[in-house]
Amino acid sequence: MASAVAGLDIADLSVQLGGQTVLHNIELRAQHGEFVVLAGPSGSGKSTLLRAIAGLLPCAAGRIAAGGFALDGLPPGKRDIAMVFQDHALMPHLTVAGNLMFGLRARGTARRVAQARAADVAERLGLGGLLHRPASQLSGGERQRVALGRAMLRDARLVLMDEPLSSLDAPLRARMRREILELHRRQGWTTVYVTHDQAEALSMADRLGVLIDGVLQQVDAPLALYQQPANTAVAAFLGQPAMQLFNAEASSAGVWLLGRDRAVTLGAESARLVAGIRAEAVEVDGSLWSPLQSGSWPVPARISRVEHLGDVQWLHCDVGDESLIARVEPERRYTAGAPIALALSPDRVCWFDARTGLRL
Amino acid sequence: MSRGGGLAAIALAATVGLVMLPLVATLVLAGFRYDALNSPVWIGFDHLRRLLADPLFLTALENSLWLIVVAVPVRLLLALVLGLLLTDRGRVARAAFVPVFTPVVLPELVWAMAWLWILNPFFGPAAWLLNTLEVGGAQWLLTSTGARSAIVVVLGFLIGEQVLVIMATRRHIPPQRYELCAVEGAGGWYSFSRVTLPALWPVLLMLAARDVVLVLQLAFVPSLIVTKTGPQFATLYLPHYIYQNAFEYLRFGYAAAMSAVLVLAVMVVLAAQFWLLRRWIRMG
């Protein structure tokens, strides 16, 4: 589509810090109005990428454009970008109104106008009664709303959020997730949201990018990443628990996996493979959630530990020297030490090349 | 007793034995005539009355106030500027930190001797500079304003500690606040006045409060060695006059009365600053 201007277009971006390349050839495109989540373990470069987009860090190579405008070389203040920070970056000595007006006043908006706009945004965020309260006396959720209000007042073509919920407690995080998404839709923002939280990444993203060791491993719909990770790094990062990876070996008889030869043709170049198995893909004899299917590969095992979380049960099973986790419904009783018949459906196993880590 | 309790007891004993008791003793001694040779004689408030009629005491008091009013803001401003410039973690800042901090750790006497040469009105570099710039010439160093200013200049170099405290406070300000300023396109003055200064205020006030006492102490050796309290008592400060009365003229009671006045004056200043500081801290 020629008419659709990308909300964000990053091409071949590299960033160096202290002589070391911390981001390698990043390619990331976001449609206008899209909510893009960047996830990855700490130290993977997510925040660095966000700061490079904002212009807070120089880029060694590559191009960044937002809403059709090239941002390269522009100072942060001229990029028309709003940013929400991990610790909210409120000024403790200023009131809610003062914090909301911070950016407007920095750009020379008249006090009267800024006050009116701040009051309007505060009203919409349910902060109307708190306008004159010092930021130091706000609760975590209120601080978060002030930080979002500041981004609303910015009226930017791109909104960057750097782990904005990481300092909140769990129930509040769940509620703020919803509020941020609603705000994103209503304001028509193009948003790039950085998090290390699996639940946030999978539940909030229109599209999810996984960044590991400064490389953007895969960008796709969250479910696609979850079900078909592009490589073992993404597989091992995404999901709670992550995809379980087992060494496998291709031979003339099929593929040797979990103690047996399995009849499967993969057309792999290398003989050394890695099989990725989600806990919910493991079939368990007698289970309602994942009953044994005909045509599945049998995996005789022994239960080593039962982890009951109330709404779900995790069975840690020993298969020879390996350990395999299966997910079953909470109602049925399992006892540690008992033998159990497990099975794997061939079409629910992800295969990776052991050398390159890439999915076949 | 726990180790913490033991340390607290030692600190308490030291405070009482080395600060509180001498303070009380000073207040009591102010009411006696005592020369350490004969028995003390009770004279009530006579010393206070004599103080008000003592031109040298009044001169020393005026000099001291002048020093506080001029040197405290100058030192604080210098420390603020240097502290913020040196907060940058670059190699230049690290190198610049050495000359800023060295004067503080030099022995006072060595320091004063160096200034004796620098400020010498006949062959010192300061005289050469003043002659070259023709701002009154080297003769200016011989005037009372020149001598008083020279003391302020000497004290202006002894700000290493303050620079250190300001640097530490500045580095504690979350960097995200400055990133926000950058993203919002805020100018240098805006981020200084809205982010840096508000975070530094309590510390600046505390440094100012401490400096009211400190400048008088720091001026003791330079005024003794460099300007020799002159010309015409222009750089005679209260601590020095108290010292002279006690240990040169053996007027211990009279010196005690002056100390009491000095303590009282300092307390008034500190109380005002403490009140301001509390208001700031309550505002968060």
Side-chain angles (χ1 to χ4, degrees), chain B residues 79 83 97 100-101 159-169:
Chain B
F97 186 68
V100 169
F101 201 71
I159 53 170
E161 270 178 292
Q162 280 155 294
V163 170
L164 199 65
V165 172
I166 288 170
M167 281 169 68
T169 316

Side-chain angles (χ1 to χ4, degrees), chain A residues 248 255 257 264 266 273-275 297 349-353 358-360:
Chain A
V255 176
L257 171 65
V264 61
L266 296 166
L273 303 168
V274 170
W297 299 328
V349 176
C350 285
W351 296 100
F352 304 93
D353 186 315
L358 295 177
R359 198 160 61 87
L360 301 179

Side-chain angles (χ1 to χ4, degrees), chain A residues 156-167:
Chain A
R157 64 168 75 107
L158 187 62
V159 178
L160 308 176
M161 300 195 186
D162 186 13
E163 309 213 21
L165 302 183
S166 61
S167 59

